[in-house]
Amino acid sequence: MEFGLVLQTDPPASAVVDLMRRAESAGFRHGWTFDSAVLWQEPFVIHSRVLAETDRLVVGPMVTNPGTRTWEVTASTFATLNEMYGNRTVCGIGRGDSAMRVAGRAPNTLARLGEAIGVIRDLAEGREALVDGRPLRLPWVREGRLPVWMGAYGPKALALAGRVADGLILQLADPYLTEWMIKAARTAAAEAGRDPAALTVCVAAPAYVGDDLAHAREQCRWFGGMVGNHVADLVARYGAHSDVVPAALTDYIGRRQGYDYAHHGRAGNPSTDFVPDDIVDRFCVLGDVAAHVAKLRALRDLGVDQFAVYAMHDAKEAVIEVYGEQVIPALR
């Protein structure tokens, strides 16, 4: 199992770069950031600096979307970073939650997302692709490589990821739901004639190490609220009691009253008071080092290739240090 670090691009950008540099030294292999241009600083500018100040770290957004930038611009950005730093990027992509909704737009459709995945990858790797019906190619790309990993929760999105993406991003660390999601995506991959085992699986969730579970839960409760935005979309589509979406994913949002993106991804988010302790415990990785290792081993045994640590809490440096000294060695 490999490990990644996920950060918001809050100013100062130098702090993000410093934490990514520390993460690489601690044994993390991926550096991820949020991508929501209104709420935080522009990630790709910061990615360039992170790549310049690290040697092996693979960098990307968790996640971008097909709506806030044109597809050729997204592809050119990745291709430029790859040319400068040696194919050390990955494109995490989804329908768009905060980036789209904060700007007053609806998330992208799955059809648009699926088309964008192929176009962005082809352009970034130097192949011709159709953009709005017009054939385009980036003529300066040489030996570019861009894996595209798709974020998904629901049955249709998981199936799309299995059919077209190189990797699957699951933003929760619940073993039961992880198993269900991996199975759905890999079944779709097999049905599409792809090798299911070739689909990389990344689980991303907050990790907080310590014995004070009450404090850890309060630092990570925001995550249940963020996941709840996507779950609310699933409930709107499939109903509150569906035979295609597990109740273990949908039941907890019954008391959800809405969401204020001004506090998105932050400890103390007042829009997350509906999230119960058991959801925080299931969706996140909390407790002492032994508890972290045990849960991550369970996820690894289900087919998870990478665990990406969301470090949006008051112990960013500590979780990097503890993972580097104790957790990562136990899982490698």
Side-chain angles (χ1 to χ4, degrees):
M1 176 181 274
E2 291 193 340
F3 289 82
L5 179 69
V6 189
L7 298 173
Q8 294 164 336
T9 52
D10 280 321
S14 58
V16 178
V17 176
D18 179 62
L19 287 170
M20 290 296 187
R21 190 168 52 237
R22 292 191 197 187
E24 182 183 60
S25 297
F28 289 77
R29 290 293 174 260
H30 281 71
W32 303 92
T33 68
F34 280 22
D35 177 15
S36 190
V38 174
L39 297 177
W40 305 290
Q41 293 182 322
E42 170 57 36
F44 290 105
V45 176
I46 299 171
H47 290 175
S48 184
R49 184 67 177 269
V50 171
L51 288 163
E53 298 200 16
T54 56
D55 297 317
R56 301 174 307 280
L57 205 68
V58 176
V59 174
M62 188 175 281
V63 293
T64 193
N65 71 86
T68 51
R69 298 176 181 84
T70 61
W71 302 351
E72 69 274 16
V73 169
T74 298
S76 183
T77 301
F78 278 110
T80 301
L81 292 173
N82 282 337
E83 191 278 330
M84 292 173 69
Y85 301 108
N87 286 336
R88 287 169 52 205
T89 68
V90 56
C91 177
I93 194 168
R95 292 176 59 223
D97 177 32
S98 62
M100 296 297 288
R101 287 178 165 132
V102 166
R105 308 183 188 106
N108 297 270
T109 65
L110 287 176
R112 179 173 171 82
L113 174 57
E115 183 183 359
I117 287 173
V119 168
I120 291 168
R121 181 170 50 212
D122 282 346
L123 291 175
E125 294 185 346
R127 295 183 294 275
E128 183 178 282
L130 287 177
V131 180
D132 296 328
R134 180 185 180 88
L136 293 180
R137 186 174 70 85
L138 305 181
W140 48 269
V141 174
R142 298 289 184 272
E143 299 181 357
R145 180 178 179 275
L146 182 66
V148 182
W149 297 6
M150 178 181 153
Y153 287 101
K156 292 184 179 180
L158 291 164
L160 177 63
R163 292 194 303 269
V164 305
D166 302 298
L168 173 65
I169 296 173
L170 305 177
Q171 296 187 77
L172 48 73
D174 178 277
Y176 171 77
L177 292 172
T178 296
E179 182 175 24
W180 173 75
M181 291 174 173
I182 292 174
K183 181 179 179 181
R186 287 189 164 154
T187 296
E191 291 173 349
R194 306 179 77 196
D195 178 5
L199 184 70
T200 301
V201 177
C202 172
V203 160
Y208 199 104
V209 183
D211 297 326
D212 188 345
L213 283 179
H215 179 73
R217 286 168 180 149
E218 291 312 308
Q219 286 293 305
C220 299
R221 197 175 304 276
W222 64 266
F223 185 66
M226 187 187 81
V227 174
N229 294 331
H230 303 282
V231 174
D233 287 344
L234 294 178
V235 170
R237 176 181 292 273
Y238 297 105
H241 305 287
S242 168
D243 59 356
V244 295
V245 181
L249 178 61
T250 59
D251 278 356
Y252 84 98
I253 69 161
R255 293 175 47 245
R256 181 179 181 270
Q257 298 297 317
Y259 192 81
D260 182 357
Y261 282 94
H263 309 281
H264 188 57
R266 299 188 187 282
N269 187 335
S271 299
T272 61
D273 56 356
F274 70 94
V275 180
D277 286 352
D278 73 292
I279 287 292
V280 183
D281 293 348
R282 284 170 44 208
F283 285 11
C284 304
V285 184
L286 311 177
D288 60 16
V289 169
H292 283 245
V293 170
K295 188 165 190 177
L296 294 175
R297 280 178 175 158
L299 291 170
R300 182 189 62 186
D301 291 346
L302 293 174
V304 174
D305 301 294
Q306 179 184 149
F307 177 60
V309 174
Y310 273 36
M312 279 68 87
H313 50 57
D314 64 1
K316 295 180 180 67
E317 294 86 354
V319 77
I320 293 171
E321 180 180 349
V322 173
Y323 263 64
E325 293 178 354
Q326 300 182 64
V327 178
I328 292 176
L331 272 294
R332 274 227 171 109

